[in-house]
Amino acid sequence: MNNEEDFLQKDSTRDEGNETEDNSMNKLRRKKVTKPHVCSTDVGEMDMSNSNDCMRDSSQILAPPQLSSRMKHIRQAMAKNRLQFVRFEATDLHGVSRSKTIPAHFFQEKVSHGVCMPRGYLEVIPNPKDSEMNRIRATCFNSDIVLMPEISTFRVLPWADRTARVICDTFTVTGEPLLTSPRYIAKRQLSQLEASGFSLLSAFICDFCIFGVPEFLNSKTISFPASTFLNNHDQPFMQELVDGLYHTGANVESFSSSTRPGQMEICFLPEFGISSADNAFTLRTGVKEVARKYNYISSFFIETGFCNSGILSHSLWDVDRKKNMFCSTSGTEQLTITGKKWLAGLLKHSAALSCLMAPTVSCRKRYSKDSKDLKDSVPTTWGYNDNSCIFNIKCHGEKGTRIENKLGSATANPYLVLAATVAAGLDGLHSSNEVLAGPDESTDFYQAETSEIPLKLEDALVALEEDQCLRQALGETFIRYFVAMKKYELENEEIAAERNKFLEYFI
């Protein structure tokens, strides 16, 4: 851990000042993107518009006059619902919500000035008791950061008493965006995509498990699933969850029981921009709180030692969001040249992508669950309408043509999944030599490099560190923090302890 230790001992301000937002897509055409300070979304009407439209200059803090119109509608919603509290939520590196709750009458003041939180809560490890990390010390780690709310995400929480929430972006106390913030990284990649003339339509498909709650909460006693969920006999829980998600802006397209007793699957409605990751982030907290009301525990971890799947279904559209750039007009079920290039980028970077999308030892077990051979890696597979493939291409008309990225587990941070997928796809568009298409635009194409997915997390970390495209796209600061965190976990946690962590931390 010496390299990580040296890195984390550097001055945070200097490190962030040297960070560049240029990435390996610098050969794509670019245009200056002006980000408006506020979005015109009317909170009072619960508009479900995409929050990437509301991207503000992340180096500035909004002034009170700019918020007056929006705050008027929020005050009306707060009075109508007799709100007492507002949660300021931000994602940590694991994709779990870290929040501070304030009395509602302080909300307008906190919108202008933000809410402070210890930086270590968001950056390193799940258990705050271990946040000193004796082998990783840094002044920047022990400092405060500021949670600044994105007002378009303000929603009354149906599953919490007289409480609302707002999703926040994170800044240093000097007003600079926190370069380890997964949401900031995702928004930056979406901005790069827009500058290249494209937009992303995406949706997460997440599995989770429902367990009965024993009198004493301990991972060893949580051993029986809520088996009635296998046949959807017990509807009230899912009905309240789906209805609650809708009122928080996360539209559920469908839900169903999955392959195991107590295992459920939720498919969100596709949305443009950052909203898809916001929806998955909302689910992670919402499902826990609703489950407790029904005397259940929800978890993204399966008792057999595997993690539930977390699929990112996505398609590339023009910047005006009117044309699906993956959908062929030839009438054949195949990707366009643009789609093939995007897929080639995903295949090329699949090893590094897997590190971010299956970031634990247990997550990676499912890569080899059907293989009896003892190998260090497995091939990256792709196919048309083949659910066994890692990248499954579905050609169901203009709105239904998409790629399902099935590398991920439900425990992965949805913002990192979104950001890394965009970065890899953009590199595929940039590297035109990745695709060889015939004159009839056949489905034949080749990759410059063979794609293999490491089965060991240690090897996946090496792949991430060696992937220059993702390093530049996601940022050196983030990569070094992420790798340091994962190496620390590998050195200090056994598999049995990991099971404990998942059932206690990810429930």
Side-chain angles (χ1 to χ4, degrees):
M1 293 276 295
N2 291 334
N3 292 337
E4 290 75 35
E5 199 170 351
D6 292 338
F7 148 67
L8 290 171
Q9 288 174 347
K10 294 180 180 179
D11 181 79
S12 173
T13 303
R14 184 179 70 244
D15 190 25
E16 294 184 355
N18 291 334
E19 179 77 14
T20 176
E21 293 189 12
D22 290 338
N23 55 32
S24 61
M25 276 64 77
N26 56 8
K27 292 186 180 180
L28 287 170
R29 72 180 188 276
R30 293 179 179 227
K31 60 182 178 181
K32 186 175 181 181
V33 179
T34 302
K35 304 174 187 176
H37 287 289
V38 290
C39 171
S40 59
T41 303
D42 186 359
V43 175
E45 296 178 358
M46 302 299 288
D47 194 314
M48 306 303 175
S49 63
N50 303 289
S51 57
N52 68 310
D53 290 337
C54 309
M55 284 183 63
R56 54 185 166 84
D57 186 342
S58 58
S59 65
Q60 300 183 32
I61 296 177
L62 299 179
Q66 297 171 298
L67 300 171
S68 58
S69 175
R70 184 64 58 78
M71 287 303 302
K72 176 182 177 181
H73 296 291
I74 290 180
R75 284 194 297 269
Q76 291 173 349
M78 295 174 78
K80 178 181 179 181
N81 293 278
R82 300 171 60 217
L83 296 184
Q84 286 186 312
F85 304 104
V86 180
R87 292 180 191 168
F88 282 56
E89 294 190 27
T91 176
D92 66 8
L93 288 180
H94 295 269
V96 175
S97 173
R98 296 288 192 166
S99 66
K100 276 203 170 183
T101 302
I102 65 167
H105 54 268
F106 288 135
F107 180 70
Q108 184 164 354
E109 175 188 344
K110 297 303 182 182
V111 165
S112 300
H113 301 288
V115 174
C116 290
M117 174 181 282
R119 182 169 179 170
Y121 284 4
L122 300 179
E123 284 187 334
V124 187
I125 52 178
N127 189 351
K129 295 180 181 179
D130 298 331
S131 59
E132 286 292 329
M133 287 185 65
N134 292 331
R135 297 180 65 184
I136 302 180
R137 292 182 177 274
T139 302
C140 61
F141 173 73
N142 292 315
S143 66
D144 279 348
I145 50 92
V146 181
L147 307 181
M148 292 300 302
E150 185 165 306
I151 302 302
S152 64
T153 65
F154 180 92
R155 297 290 187 274
V156 178
L157 292 176
W159 47 72
D161 186 34
R162 298 169 68 180
T163 301
R165 79 94 203 268
V166 63
I167 298 176
C168 299
D169 291 315
T170 50
F171 296 82
T172 66
V173 292
T174 59
E176 298 298 321
L178 193 66
L179 298 178
T180 56
S181 165
R183 194 168 191 267
Y184 167 72
I185 293 169
K187 291 171 80 172
R188 187 170 62 181
Q189 284 305 299
L190 289 170
S191 179
Q192 293 282 351
L193 187 65
E194 183 180 349
S196 302
F198 301 101
S199 56
L200 190 77
L201 181 68
S202 62
F204 280 86
I205 304 171
C206 300
D207 287 348
F208 59 90
C209 290
I210 302 298
F211 297 96
V213 181
E215 293 184 2
F216 178 69
L217 281 181
N218 180 287
S219 64
K220 294 182 179 179
T221 63
I222 302 176
S223 58
F224 55 97
S227 58
T228 57
F229 278 85
L230 183 60
N231 296 312
N232 285 341
H233 291 159
D234 192 349
Q235 290 288 307
F237 165 74
M238 287 303 297
Q239 288 172 344
E240 182 169 345
L241 175 62
V242 171
D243 185 63
L245 288 170
Y246 170 78
H247 284 94
T248 58
N251 290 309
V252 174
E253 185 173 42
S254 66
F255 68 90
S256 65
S257 57
S258 193
T259 55
R260 297 174 176 84
Q263 188 178 24
M264 301 297 298
E265 177 187 271
I266 276 190
C267 303
F268 287 103
L269 197 68
E271 297 191 48
F272 284 100
I274 199 71
S275 294
S276 61
D278 283 343
N279 293 343
F281 176 66
T282 299
L283 171 67
R284 295 172 78 100
T285 300
V287 69
K288 303 171 193 174
E289 298 195 37
V290 177
R292 299 251 174 165
K293 294 176 64 175
Y294 287 83
N295 202 32
Y296 293 127
I297 281 181
S298 66
S299 176
F300 296 108
F301 183 74
I302 299 175
E303 278 288 284
T304 56
F306 291 95
C307 290
N308 288 279
S309 65
I311 300 169
L312 177 63
S313 176
H314 67 284
S315 55
L316 198 64
W317 291 61
D318 66 314
V319 74
D320 295 323
R321 304 177 178 179
K322 294 180 179 179
K323 181 180 179 181
N324 187 342
M325 306 304 293
F326 286 176
C327 183
S328 174
T329 58
S330 63
T332 58
E333 291 190 352
Q334 61 177 285
L335 288 174
T336 61
I337 294 297
T338 298
K340 293 173 186 177
K341 290 182 178 181
W342 183 275
L343 176 61
L346 299 181
L347 292 167
K348 175 182 177 181
H349 298 286
S350 58
L353 282 174
S354 74
C355 185
L356 297 165
M357 299 182 67
T360 70
V361 173
S362 295
C363 290
R364 311 189 72 80
K365 291 180 181 178
R366 63 192 186 85
Y367 290 155
S368 59
K369 63 180 180 180
D370 297 325
S371 175
K372 296 181 181 180
D373 299 329
L374 298 177
K375 298 180 179 179
D376 292 330
S377 62
V378 293
T380 306
T381 57
W382 69 276
Y384 285 92
N385 200 25
D386 186 347
N387 289 318
S388 68
C389 292
I390 290 174
F391 295 110
N392 185 19
I393 306 162
K394 295 190 174 181
C395 298
H396 299 164
E398 183 176 18
K399 293 185 178 180
T401 299
R402 60 197 185 273
I403 297 175
E404 289 185 347
N405 183 350
K406 304 177 74 171
L407 277 169
S409 76
T411 57
N413 187 313
Y415 297 106
L416 297 181
V417 172
L418 189 70
T421 298
V422 171
L426 270 173
D427 189 51
L429 295 179
H430 159 74
S431 304
S432 59
N433 61 336
E434 293 298 328
V435 174
L436 177 64
D440 59 348
E441 291 191 3
S442 68
T443 58
D444 298 328
F445 70 95
Y446 72 90
Q447 299 165 241
E449 302 175 11
T450 303
S451 298
E452 292 281 334
I453 301 174
L455 296 181
K456 294 182 179 180
L457 180 57
E458 296 92 328
D459 296 335
L461 287 170
V462 172
L464 179 61
E465 288 183 291
E466 293 178 351
D467 193 308
Q468 295 303 314
C469 170
L470 291 190
R471 286 187 72 96
Q472 292 180 349
L474 306 184
E476 291 286 340
T477 300
F478 164 76
I479 293 295
R480 286 181 284 180
Y481 263 92
F482 184 85
V483 171
M485 175 184 70
K486 288 302 168 185
K487 287 184 177 179
Y488 177 85
E489 290 179 356
L490 285 170
E491 290 177 359
N492 291 274
E493 294 186 19
E494 299 177 357
I495 296 299
E498 184 182 70
R499 178 177 181 271
N500 230 338
K501 177 187 72 175
F502 274 92
L503 283 172
E504 292 177 359
Y505 181 60
F506 287 111
I507 59 176

